[in-house]
Amino acid sequence: MDIKVAYGEKVKAIRKSQNVSQEKLAELADLDRTYISDIENGKRNVSIETVYKIAKALEKPMVSFFEF
């Protein structure tokens, strides 16, 4: 399993389940929209800080992004 791909798929699934656009997530997490796209496509190796920002923006515990 490629952890970057699995994490990206989880971010995308949670984001979509909340009807949040990539642009809105980027705004809430103080990240660039293209960075969110790259994460969701498994192209980025994100830092723990970025994981935290995304979890906080989507109001989910960080661990929920690693339940594959």
Side-chain angles (χ1 to χ4, degrees):
M1 167 188 6
D2 184 332
I3 190 69
K4 293 183 295 188
V5 171
Y7 175 74
E9 289 173 351
K10 189 62 138 184
V11 170
K12 186 175 186 176
I14 292 171
R15 175 182 65 75
K16 285 189 166 199
S17 75
Q18 295 184 7
N19 294 315
V20 175
S21 67
Q22 285 183 345
E23 188 172 330
K24 184 64 177 175
L25 175 55
E27 178 185 320
L28 292 170
D30 194 30
L31 299 168
D32 190 84
R33 193 214 45 89
T34 59
Y35 190 62
I36 297 295
S37 177
D38 285 350
I39 290 169
E40 290 185 357
N41 289 308
K43 295 178 181 176
R44 293 289 184 144
N45 189 15
V46 298
S47 69
I48 194 72
E49 182 178 302
T50 300
V51 171
Y52 174 76
K53 285 180 173 185
I54 291 171
K56 186 175 177 185
L58 293 173
E59 298 178 348
K60 290 283 195 179
M62 287 174 60
V63 69
S64 65
F65 290 86
F66 297 100
E67 296 170 344
F68 308 122

Short mmCIF file of all heavy atoms in Angstrom, two decimals:
data_model
loop_
_atom_site.label_atom_id
_atom_site.label_comp_id
_atom_site.label_asym_id
_atom_site.label_seq_id
_atom_site.Cartn_x
_atom_site.Cartn_y
_atom_site.Cartn_z
N MET A 1 0.85 -1.18 0.00
CA MET A 1 0.00 0.00 0.00
C MET A 1 0.89 1.24 0.00
O MET A 1 1.83 1.33 0.77
CB MET A 1 -0.89 0.00 1.24
CG MET A 1 -1.55 1.33 1.45
SD MET A 1 -2.49 1.67 2.97
CE MET A 1 -2.29 0.34 4.03
N ASP A 2 0.58 2.17 -0.85
CA ASP A 2 1.27 3.46 -0.88
C ASP A 2 0.53 4.39 0.07
O ASP A 2 -0.62 4.76 -0.17
CB ASP A 2 1.27 4.03 -2.30
CG ASP A 2 2.06 5.32 -2.42
OD1 ASP A 2 2.17 6.07 -1.42
OD2 ASP A 2 2.56 5.60 -3.52
N ILE A 3 1.17 4.76 1.17
CA ILE A 3 0.54 5.57 2.20
C ILE A 3 0.10 6.94 1.68
O ILE A 3 -0.93 7.47 2.11
CB ILE A 3 1.45 5.70 3.45
CG1 ILE A 3 0.70 6.34 4.63
CG2 ILE A 3 2.70 6.49 3.13
CD1 ILE A 3 -0.37 5.48 5.21
N LYS A 4 0.86 7.52 0.77
CA LYS A 4 0.48 8.83 0.22
C LYS A 4 -0.83 8.73 -0.56
O LYS A 4 -1.69 9.60 -0.44
CB LYS A 4 1.59 9.38 -0.69
CG LYS A 4 2.86 9.74 0.06
CD LYS A 4 3.90 10.35 -0.86
CE LYS A 4 4.35 9.34 -1.88
NZ LYS A 4 5.48 9.78 -2.70
N VAL A 5 -0.98 7.66 -1.32
CA VAL A 5 -2.21 7.45 -2.09
C VAL A 5 -3.38 7.17 -1.14
O VAL A 5 -4.46 7.74 -1.29
CB VAL A 5 -2.04 6.31 -3.11
CG1 VAL A 5 -3.37 5.94 -3.75
CG2 VAL A 5 -1.02 6.71 -4.18
N ALA A 6 -3.16 6.30 -0.16
CA ALA A 6 -4.21 5.96 0.79
C ALA A 6 -4.67 7.18 1.58
O ALA A 6 -5.87 7.41 1.76
CB ALA A 6 -3.73 4.86 1.73
N TYR A 7 -3.72 7.99 2.04
CA TYR A 7 -4.07 9.20 2.77
C TYR A 7 -4.84 10.18 1.88
O TYR A 7 -5.86 10.72 2.29
CB TYR A 7 -2.81 9.88 3.35
CG TYR A 7 -3.12 11.19 4.02
CD1 TYR A 7 -3.74 11.23 5.26
CD2 TYR A 7 -2.84 12.40 3.39
CE1 TYR A 7 -4.05 12.44 5.87
CE2 TYR A 7 -3.15 13.61 3.99
CZ TYR A 7 -3.75 13.62 5.23
OH TYR A 7 -4.06 14.82 5.83
N GLY A 8 -4.38 10.35 0.67
CA GLY A 8 -5.04 11.25 -0.27
C GLY A 8 -6.46 10.82 -0.57
O GLY A 8 -7.38 11.65 -0.63
N GLU A 9 -6.67 9.52 -0.74
CA GLU A 9 -8.01 9.01 -0.99
C GLU A 9 -8.92 9.25 0.21
O GLU A 9 -10.10 9.56 0.05
CB GLU A 9 -7.96 7.51 -1.33
CG GLU A 9 -7.35 7.24 -2.70
CD GLU A 9 -7.14 5.76 -2.98
OE1 GLU A 9 -7.29 4.91 -2.06
OE2 GLU A 9 -6.79 5.44 -4.13
N LYS A 10 -8.36 9.12 1.41
CA LYS A 10 -9.14 9.34 2.62
C LYS A 10 -9.52 10.81 2.75
O LYS A 10 -10.67 11.14 3.08
CB LYS A 10 -8.35 8.88 3.84
CG LYS A 10 -9.15 8.86 5.10
CD LYS A 10 -10.31 7.88 4.99
CE LYS A 10 -10.45 7.11 6.25
NZ LYS A 10 -11.47 6.10 6.22
N VAL A 11 -8.59 11.71 2.48
CA VAL A 11 -8.89 13.14 2.52
C VAL A 11 -10.01 13.45 1.55
O VAL A 11 -10.99 14.13 1.90
CB VAL A 11 -7.64 14.00 2.20
CG1 VAL A 11 -8.01 15.46 2.00
CG2 VAL A 11 -6.60 13.87 3.31
N LYS A 12 -9.90 12.95 0.34
CA LYS A 12 -10.91 13.21 -0.68
C LYS A 12 -12.27 12.67 -0.27
O LYS A 12 -13.30 13.34 -0.42
CB LYS A 12 -10.47 12.58 -2.01
CG LYS A 12 -11.37 12.90 -3.17
CD LYS A 12 -10.80 12.32 -4.46
CE LYS A 12 -11.58 12.75 -5.66
NZ LYS A 12 -10.95 12.27 -6.90
N ALA A 13 -12.31 11.46 0.28
CA ALA A 13 -13.58 10.84 0.68
C ALA A 13 -14.24 11.65 1.80
O ALA A 13 -15.45 11.92 1.75
CB ALA A 13 -13.35 9.40 1.13
N ILE A 14 -13.46 12.05 2.78
CA ILE A 14 -14.02 12.83 3.89
C ILE A 14 -14.47 14.20 3.40
O ILE A 14 -15.55 14.67 3.75
CB ILE A 14 -13.01 12.94 5.05
CG1 ILE A 14 -12.81 11.56 5.70
CG2 ILE A 14 -13.46 13.97 6.08
CD1 ILE A 14 -11.68 11.49 6.72
N ARG A 15 -13.66 14.83 2.58
CA ARG A 15 -14.01 16.15 2.04
C ARG A 15 -15.31 16.08 1.26
O ARG A 15 -16.22 16.88 1.46
CB ARG A 15 -12.87 16.66 1.15
CG ARG A 15 -13.19 17.98 0.45
CD ARG A 15 -12.07 18.42 -0.45
NE ARG A 15 -11.79 17.56 -1.58
CZ ARG A 15 -12.55 17.47 -2.68
NH1 ARG A 15 -13.65 18.19 -2.80
NH2 ARG A 15 -12.21 16.67 -3.67
N LYS A 16 -15.42 15.09 0.39
CA LYS A 16 -16.62 14.96 -0.43
C LYS A 16 -17.85 14.60 0.41
O LYS A 16 -18.95 15.06 0.12
CB LYS A 16 -16.42 13.92 -1.53
CG LYS A 16 -15.55 14.44 -2.66
CD LYS A 16 -15.55 13.49 -3.83
CE LYS A 16 -14.98 14.20 -5.04
NZ LYS A 16 -15.33 13.52 -6.27
N SER A 17 -17.67 13.79 1.45
CA SER A 17 -18.79 13.42 2.31
C SER A 17 -19.36 14.63 3.04
O SER A 17 -20.51 14.63 3.46
CB SER A 17 -18.39 12.34 3.32
OG SER A 17 -17.60 12.89 4.36
N GLN A 18 -18.53 15.66 3.18
CA GLN A 18 -18.97 16.89 3.84
C GLN A 18 -19.35 17.98 2.82
O GLN A 18 -19.62 19.10 3.20
CB GLN A 18 -17.87 17.40 4.77
CG GLN A 18 -17.60 16.48 5.92
CD GLN A 18 -16.58 17.04 6.89
OE1 GLN A 18 -16.15 18.18 6.79
NE2 GLN A 18 -16.18 16.22 7.85
N ASN A 19 -19.35 17.62 1.55
CA ASN A 19 -19.67 18.56 0.48
C ASN A 19 -18.80 19.82 0.53
O ASN A 19 -19.29 20.94 0.38
CB ASN A 19 -21.16 18.94 0.50
CG ASN A 19 -22.04 17.77 0.19
OD1 ASN A 19 -21.78 17.02 -0.74
ND2 ASN A 19 -23.08 17.59 0.98
N VAL A 20 -17.50 19.60 0.72
CA VAL A 20 -16.53 20.70 0.77
C VAL A 20 -15.69 20.63 -0.50
O VAL A 20 -15.20 19.56 -0.86
CB VAL A 20 -15.63 20.58 2.03
CG1 VAL A 20 -14.54 21.63 2.03
CG2 VAL A 20 -16.47 20.66 3.30
N SER A 21 -15.54 21.75 -1.17
CA SER A 21 -14.71 21.78 -2.37
C SER A 21 -13.23 21.81 -1.98
O SER A 21 -12.88 22.13 -0.84
CB SER A 21 -15.03 23.03 -3.21
OG SER A 21 -14.62 24.19 -2.51
N GLN A 22 -12.39 21.49 -2.94
CA GLN A 22 -10.95 21.60 -2.70
C GLN A 22 -10.59 23.04 -2.34
O GLN A 22 -9.76 23.27 -1.46
CB GLN A 22 -10.15 21.16 -3.92
CG GLN A 22 -10.11 19.68 -4.13
CD GLN A 22 -9.25 19.29 -5.31
OE1 GLN A 22 -8.87 20.11 -6.15
NE2 GLN A 22 -8.92 18.01 -5.39
N GLU A 23 -11.19 23.97 -3.03
CA GLU A 23 -10.91 25.38 -2.78
C GLU A 23 -11.29 25.78 -1.35
O GLU A 23 -10.53 26.47 -0.67
CB GLU A 23 -11.67 26.24 -3.78
CG GLU A 23 -11.30 27.71 -3.72
CD GLU A 23 -11.93 28.51 -4.85
OE1 GLU A 23 -12.15 27.96 -5.93
OE2 GLU A 23 -12.18 29.69 -4.61
N LYS A 24 -12.45 25.32 -0.89
CA LYS A 24 -12.90 25.65 0.47
C LYS A 24 -12.00 24.99 1.50
O LYS A 24 -11.64 25.61 2.51
CB LYS A 24 -14.36 25.23 0.66
CG LYS A 24 -14.92 25.63 1.99
CD LYS A 24 -14.97 27.13 2.15
CE LYS A 24 -15.61 27.53 3.47
NZ LYS A 24 -15.56 28.98 3.69
N LEU A 25 -11.63 23.73 1.27
CA LEU A 25 -10.73 23.05 2.18
C LEU A 25 -9.40 23.77 2.27
O LEU A 25 -8.85 23.96 3.35
CB LEU A 25 -10.52 21.58 1.77
CG LEU A 25 -9.51 20.80 2.60
CD1 LEU A 25 -9.84 20.83 4.08
CD2 LEU A 25 -9.39 19.38 2.09
N ALA A 26 -8.88 24.17 1.13
CA ALA A 26 -7.62 24.91 1.10
C ALA A 26 -7.73 26.19 1.93
O ALA A 26 -6.82 26.52 2.71
CB ALA A 26 -7.22 25.24 -0.33
N GLU A 27 -8.83 26.88 1.77
CA GLU A 27 -9.05 28.12 2.54
C GLU A 27 -9.12 27.83 4.04
O GLU A 27 -8.46 28.50 4.84
CB GLU A 27 -10.35 28.77 2.07
CG GLU A 27 -10.74 30.02 2.81
CD GLU A 27 -12.11 30.53 2.38
OE1 GLU A 27 -12.42 30.48 1.17
OE2 GLU A 27 -12.87 30.96 3.27
N LEU A 28 -9.89 26.82 4.42
CA LEU A 28 -10.06 26.48 5.84
C LEU A 28 -8.75 26.01 6.48
O LEU A 28 -8.51 26.26 7.65
CB LEU A 28 -11.12 25.38 5.99
CG LEU A 28 -12.55 25.77 5.66
CD1 LEU A 28 -13.44 24.53 5.61
CD2 LEU A 28 -13.07 26.79 6.66
N ALA A 29 -7.93 25.30 5.69
CA ALA A 29 -6.68 24.74 6.21
C ALA A 29 -5.48 25.66 5.99
O ALA A 29 -4.36 25.32 6.37
CB ALA A 29 -6.41 23.39 5.56
N ASP A 30 -5.71 26.80 5.36
CA ASP A 30 -4.64 27.74 5.04
C ASP A 30 -3.55 27.07 4.18
O ASP A 30 -2.36 27.15 4.47
CB ASP A 30 -4.04 28.34 6.31
CG ASP A 30 -3.17 29.56 6.02
OD1 ASP A 30 -3.45 30.27 5.03
OD2 ASP A 30 -2.20 29.79 6.77
N LEU A 31 -4.02 26.39 3.13
CA LEU A 31 -3.14 25.73 2.17
C LEU A 31 -3.55 26.14 0.76
O LEU A 31 -4.64 26.66 0.55
CB LEU A 31 -3.26 24.20 2.31
CG LEU A 31 -2.87 23.61 3.66
CD1 LEU A 31 -3.33 22.16 3.76
CD2 LEU A 31 -1.38 23.72 3.88
N ASP A 32 -2.70 25.88 -0.20
CA ASP A 32 -3.02 26.19 -1.60
C ASP A 32 -3.92 25.10 -2.18
O ASP A 32 -3.76 23.93 -1.88
CB ASP A 32 -1.72 26.28 -2.40
CG ASP A 32 -1.94 26.82 -3.78
OD1 ASP A 32 -2.00 28.05 -3.93
OD2 ASP A 32 -2.09 26.00 -4.71
N ARG A 33 -4.87 25.48 -3.04
CA ARG A 33 -5.78 24.51 -3.63
C ARG A 33 -5.04 23.45 -4.44
O ARG A 33 -5.39 22.27 -4.41
CB ARG A 33 -6.83 25.19 -4.53
CG ARG A 33 -7.94 24.20 -4.88
CD ARG A 33 -8.55 24.34 -6.24
NE ARG A 33 -7.62 24.51 -7.34
CZ ARG A 33 -7.07 23.51 -8.04
NH1 ARG A 33 -7.29 22.25 -7.73
NH2 ARG A 33 -6.28 23.78 -9.06
N THR A 34 -4.00 23.84 -5.14
CA THR A 34 -3.25 22.86 -5.93
C THR A 34 -2.54 21.86 -5.02
O THR A 34 -2.34 20.71 -5.40
CB THR A 34 -2.24 23.53 -6.88
OG1 THR A 34 -1.32 24.30 -6.13
CG2 THR A 34 -2.95 24.41 -7.89
N TYR A 35 -2.18 22.30 -3.82
CA TYR A 35 -1.54 21.41 -2.84
C TYR A 35 -2.56 20.36 -2.38
O TYR A 35 -2.23 19.18 -2.26
CB TYR A 35 -1.01 22.22 -1.67
CG TYR A 35 -0.14 21.45 -0.71
CD1 TYR A 35 1.04 20.87 -1.13
CD2 TYR A 35 -0.50 21.32 0.63
CE1 TYR A 35 1.84 20.16 -0.25
CE2 TYR A 35 0.29 20.62 1.51
CZ TYR A 35 1.46 20.05 1.07
OH TYR A 35 2.25 19.35 1.94
N ILE A 36 -3.80 20.78 -2.15
CA ILE A 36 -4.86 19.84 -1.77
C ILE A 36 -5.06 18.81 -2.89
O ILE A 36 -5.15 17.61 -2.64
CB ILE A 36 -6.19 20.57 -1.48
CG1 ILE A 36 -6.06 21.53 -0.29
CG2 ILE A 36 -7.34 19.58 -1.27
CD1 ILE A 36 -5.78 20.89 1.04
N SER A 37 -5.08 19.27 -4.13
CA SER A 37 -5.23 18.37 -5.27
C SER A 37 -4.09 17.36 -5.32
O SER A 37 -4.31 16.16 -5.52
CB SER A 37 -5.27 19.18 -6.57
OG SER A 37 -5.33 18.32 -7.68
N ASP A 38 -2.87 17.84 -5.14
CA ASP A 38 -1.71 16.94 -5.14
C ASP A 38 -1.79 15.91 -4.01
O ASP A 38 -1.45 14.74 -4.20
CB ASP A 38 -0.41 17.74 -5.01
CG ASP A 38 -0.01 18.45 -6.29
OD1 ASP A 38 -0.63 18.19 -7.35
OD2 ASP A 38 0.92 19.27 -6.23
N ILE A 39 -2.25 16.33 -2.84
CA ILE A 39 -2.42 15.40 -1.71
C ILE A 39 -3.43 14.32 -2.08
O ILE A 39 -3.17 13.13 -1.91
CB ILE A 39 -2.87 16.15 -0.44
CG1 ILE A 39 -1.73 17.03 0.09
CG2 ILE A 39 -3.34 15.16 0.63
CD1 ILE A 39 -2.16 18.01 1.19
N GLU A 40 -4.57 14.75 -2.59
CA GLU A 40 -5.63 13.79 -2.93
C GLU A 40 -5.22 12.84 -4.05
O GLU A 40 -5.75 11.74 -4.14
CB GLU A 40 -6.91 14.54 -3.32
CG GLU A 40 -7.56 15.22 -2.13
CD GLU A 40 -8.89 15.88 -2.45
OE1 GLU A 40 -9.32 15.87 -3.63
OE2 GLU A 40 -9.51 16.41 -1.52
N ASN A 41 -4.29 13.24 -4.87
CA ASN A 41 -3.79 12.37 -5.95
C ASN A 41 -2.55 11.59 -5.55
O ASN A 41 -1.93 10.94 -6.40
CB ASN A 41 -3.53 13.21 -7.20
CG ASN A 41 -4.83 13.68 -7.84
OD1 ASN A 41 -5.72 12.88 -8.09
ND2 ASN A 41 -4.95 14.97 -8.07
N GLY A 42 -2.19 11.64 -4.27
CA GLY A 42 -1.06 10.86 -3.77
C GLY A 42 0.29 11.35 -4.23
O GLY A 42 1.26 10.60 -4.25
N LYS A 43 0.38 12.63 -4.60
CA LYS A 43 1.62 13.17 -5.14
C LYS A 43 2.45 13.91 -4.09
O LYS A 43 3.55 14.37 -4.39
CB LYS A 43 1.32 14.13 -6.29
CG LYS A 43 0.69 13.46 -7.48
CD LYS A 43 0.38 14.44 -8.57
CE LYS A 43 -0.26 13.77 -9.75
NZ LYS A 43 -0.65 14.73 -10.79
N ARG A 44 1.92 14.05 -2.88
CA ARG A 44 2.63 14.80 -1.84
C ARG A 44 2.87 13.94 -0.61
O ARG A 44 2.03 13.17 -0.19
CB ARG A 44 1.82 16.03 -1.41
CG ARG A 44 1.67 17.07 -2.47
CD ARG A 44 2.98 17.78 -2.72
NE ARG A 44 2.79 18.86 -3.68
CZ ARG A 44 3.43 19.99 -3.61
NH1 ARG A 44 4.31 20.22 -2.67
NH2 ARG A 44 3.22 20.91 -4.53
N ASN A 45 4.04 14.11 -0.04
CA ASN A 45 4.38 13.49 1.23
C ASN A 45 4.15 14.57 2.28
O ASN A 45 5.00 15.43 2.48
CB ASN A 45 5.83 13.02 1.20
CG ASN A 45 6.17 12.18 2.40
OD1 ASN A 45 5.29 11.71 3.11
ND2 ASN A 45 7.45 11.99 2.62
N VAL A 46 3.00 14.55 2.93
CA VAL A 46 2.61 15.65 3.80
C VAL A 46 3.25 15.55 5.19
O VAL A 46 3.53 14.46 5.68
CB VAL A 46 1.07 15.74 3.95
CG1 VAL A 46 0.43 16.01 2.61
CG2 VAL A 46 0.49 14.50 4.57
N SER A 47 3.44 16.72 5.78
CA SER A 47 3.97 16.78 7.14
C SER A 47 2.86 16.55 8.14
O SER A 47 1.67 16.66 7.82
CB SER A 47 4.60 18.16 7.39
OG SER A 47 3.59 19.15 7.44
N ILE A 48 3.23 16.26 9.37
CA ILE A 48 2.24 16.09 10.43
C ILE A 48 1.47 17.39 10.65
O ILE A 48 0.29 17.37 10.98
CB ILE A 48 2.91 15.58 11.73
CG1 ILE A 48 1.86 15.06 12.72
CG2 ILE A 48 3.77 16.63 12.37
CD1 ILE A 48 1.25 13.76 12.32
N GLU A 49 2.11 18.51 10.42
CA GLU A 49 1.45 19.81 10.54
C GLU A 49 0.32 19.94 9.51
O GLU A 49 -0.78 20.41 9.82
CB GLU A 49 2.45 20.94 10.36
CG GLU A 49 1.85 22.32 10.51
CD GLU A 49 2.89 23.42 10.38
OE1 GLU A 49 3.85 23.42 11.15
OE2 GLU A 49 2.71 24.27 9.48
N THR A 50 0.58 19.50 8.29
CA THR A 50 -0.44 19.54 7.24
C THR A 50 -1.57 18.58 7.55
O THR A 50 -2.74 18.92 7.35
CB THR A 50 0.19 19.24 5.87
OG1 THR A 50 1.19 20.22 5.60
CG2 THR A 50 -0.85 19.27 4.77
N VAL A 51 -1.25 17.41 8.05
CA VAL A 51 -2.29 16.45 8.45
C VAL A 51 -3.19 17.10 9.50
O VAL A 51 -4.42 17.02 9.42
CB VAL A 51 -1.66 15.14 9.01
CG1 VAL A 51 -2.73 14.24 9.62
CG2 VAL A 51 -0.90 14.40 7.92
N TYR A 52 -2.59 17.78 10.46
CA TYR A 52 -3.34 18.46 11.51
C TYR A 52 -4.24 19.56 10.93
O TYR A 52 -5.41 19.66 11.28
CB TYR A 52 -2.38 19.05 12.54
CG TYR A 52 -3.10 19.88 13.58
CD1 TYR A 52 -3.82 19.28 14.61
CD2 TYR A 52 -3.06 21.27 13.52
CE1 TYR A 52 -4.49 20.05 15.56
CE2 TYR A 52 -3.73 22.04 14.46
CZ TYR A 52 -4.44 21.42 15.47
OH TYR A 52 -5.11 22.18 16.40
N LYS A 53 -3.69 20.37 10.04
CA LYS A 53 -4.47 21.46 9.44
C LYS A 53 -5.70 20.93 8.70
O LYS A 53 -6.79 21.50 8.80
CB LYS A 53 -3.61 22.27 8.47
CG LYS A 53 -2.61 23.19 9.12
CD LYS A 53 -1.83 23.93 8.04
CE LYS A 53 -0.93 24.99 8.59
NZ LYS A 53 -0.27 25.75 7.52
N ILE A 54 -5.51 19.87 7.95
CA ILE A 54 -6.63 19.29 7.19
C ILE A 54 -7.66 18.68 8.13
O ILE A 54 -8.87 18.88 7.96
CB ILE A 54 -6.11 18.26 6.16
CG1 ILE A 54 -5.34 19.00 5.06
CG2 ILE A 54 -7.25 17.43 5.58
CD1 ILE A 54 -4.60 18.10 4.09
N ALA A 55 -7.20 17.96 9.15
CA ALA A 55 -8.12 17.35 10.12
C ALA A 55 -8.92 18.43 10.84
O ALA A 55 -10.15 18.30 10.99
CB ALA A 55 -7.34 16.50 11.12
N LYS A 56 -8.25 19.48 11.24
CA LYS A 56 -8.93 20.57 11.94
C LYS A 56 -9.94 21.26 11.01
O LYS A 56 -11.07 21.55 11.42
CB LYS A 56 -7.90 21.58 12.45
CG LYS A 56 -8.50 22.66 13.30
CD LYS A 56 -7.43 23.56 13.90
CE LYS A 56 -8.08 24.68 14.70
NZ LYS A 56 -7.12 25.62 15.19
N ALA A 57 -9.56 21.50 9.77
CA ALA A 57 -10.44 22.16 8.81
C ALA A 57 -11.70 21.34 8.55
O ALA A 57 -12.78 21.90 8.37
CB ALA A 57 -9.70 22.41 7.50
N LEU A 58 -11.56 20.01 8.55
CA LEU A 58 -12.70 19.13 8.30
C LEU A 58 -13.37 18.65 9.59
O LEU A 58 -14.29 17.83 9.55
CB LEU A 58 -12.27 17.93 7.44
CG LEU A 58 -11.86 18.29 6.01
CD1 LEU A 58 -11.29 17.07 5.29
CD2 LEU A 58 -13.04 18.86 5.23
N GLU A 59 -12.87 19.16 10.72
CA GLU A 59 -13.42 18.84 12.04
C GLU A 59 -13.49 17.34 12.30
O GLU A 59 -14.51 16.80 12.72
CB GLU A 59 -14.79 19.50 12.22
CG GLU A 59 -14.72 21.01 12.14
CD GLU A 59 -16.07 21.70 12.26
OE1 GLU A 59 -17.13 21.02 12.19
OE2 GLU A 59 -16.06 22.93 12.44
N LYS A 60 -12.37 16.68 12.02
CA LYS A 60 -12.24 15.24 12.24
C LYS A 60 -10.98 14.98 13.05
O LYS A 60 -9.99 15.71 12.92
CB LYS A 60 -12.11 14.50 10.90
CG LYS A 60 -13.36 14.48 10.06
CD LYS A 60 -14.30 13.47 10.62
CE LYS A 60 -15.41 13.14 9.66
NZ LYS A 60 -16.30 12.15 10.20
N PRO A 61 -10.96 13.92 13.85
CA PRO A 61 -9.72 13.56 14.54
C PRO A 61 -8.66 13.12 13.53
O PRO A 61 -9.00 12.49 12.52
CB PRO A 61 -10.12 12.41 15.46
CG PRO A 61 -11.55 12.13 15.23
CD PRO A 61 -12.06 13.06 14.18
N MET A 62 -7.42 13.44 13.80
CA MET A 62 -6.34 13.09 12.88
C MET A 62 -6.32 11.59 12.57
O MET A 62 -6.09 11.20 11.43
CB MET A 62 -4.98 13.53 13.44
CG MET A 62 -4.78 15.02 13.39
SD MET A 62 -3.27 15.58 14.20
CE MET A 62 -2.01 14.74 13.30
N VAL A 63 -6.58 10.79 13.56
CA VAL A 63 -6.51 9.33 13.38
C VAL A 63 -7.51 8.84 12.34
O VAL A 63 -7.26 7.83 11.67
CB VAL A 63 -6.68 8.60 14.73
CG1 VAL A 63 -8.11 8.74 15.26
CG2 VAL A 63 -6.27 7.17 14.62
N SER A 64 -8.61 9.53 12.16
CA SER A 64 -9.62 9.08 11.20
C SER A 64 -9.10 9.10 9.76
O SER A 64 -9.62 8.40 8.90
CB SER A 64 -10.90 9.92 11.30
OG SER A 64 -10.67 11.25 10.94
N PHE A 65 -8.03 9.84 9.51
CA PHE A 65 -7.45 9.91 8.17
C PHE A 65 -6.51 8.73 7.90
O PHE A 65 -6.03 8.57 6.79
CB PHE A 65 -6.72 11.23 7.97
CG PHE A 65 -7.65 12.41 7.89
CD1 PHE A 65 -8.08 13.04 9.05
CD2 PHE A 65 -8.15 12.85 6.68
CE1 PHE A 65 -8.97 14.11 8.99
CE2 PHE A 65 -9.04 13.91 6.60
CZ PHE A 65 -9.45 14.53 7.77
N PHE A 66 -6.26 7.93 8.92
CA PHE A 66 -5.35 6.79 8.78
C PHE A 66 -6.04 5.46 9.02
O PHE A 66 -5.41 4.45 9.26
CB PHE A 66 -4.15 6.96 9.71
CG PHE A 66 -3.34 8.17 9.36
CD1 PHE A 66 -3.49 9.35 10.07
CD2 PHE A 66 -2.47 8.17 8.27
CE1 PHE A 66 -2.76 10.49 9.74
CE2 PHE A 66 -1.75 9.29 7.92
CZ PHE A 66 -1.89 10.46 8.66
N GLU A 67 -7.37 5.46 8.97
CA GLU A 67 -8.14 4.23 9.08
C GLU A 67 -8.46 3.76 7.65
O GLU A 67 -9.41 4.23 7.04
CB GLU A 67 -9.41 4.49 9.90
CG GLU A 67 -9.11 4.87 11.33
CD GLU A 67 -10.32 5.37 12.11
OE1 GLU A 67 -11.34 5.72 11.48
OE2 GLU A 67 -10.23 5.41 13.33
N PHE A 68 -7.65 2.86 7.16
CA PHE A 68 -7.79 2.42 5.77
C PHE A 68 -8.52 1.10 5.69
O PHE A 68 -8.36 0.20 6.39
CB PHE A 68 -6.42 2.28 5.09
CG PHE A 68 -5.56 3.52 5.22
CD1 PHE A 68 -4.32 3.47 5.81
CD2 PHE A 68 -6.02 4.76 4.76
CE1 PHE A 68 -3.52 4.59 5.91
CE2 PHE A 68 -5.22 5.89 4.87
CZ PHE A 68 -3.98 5.80 5.46
#
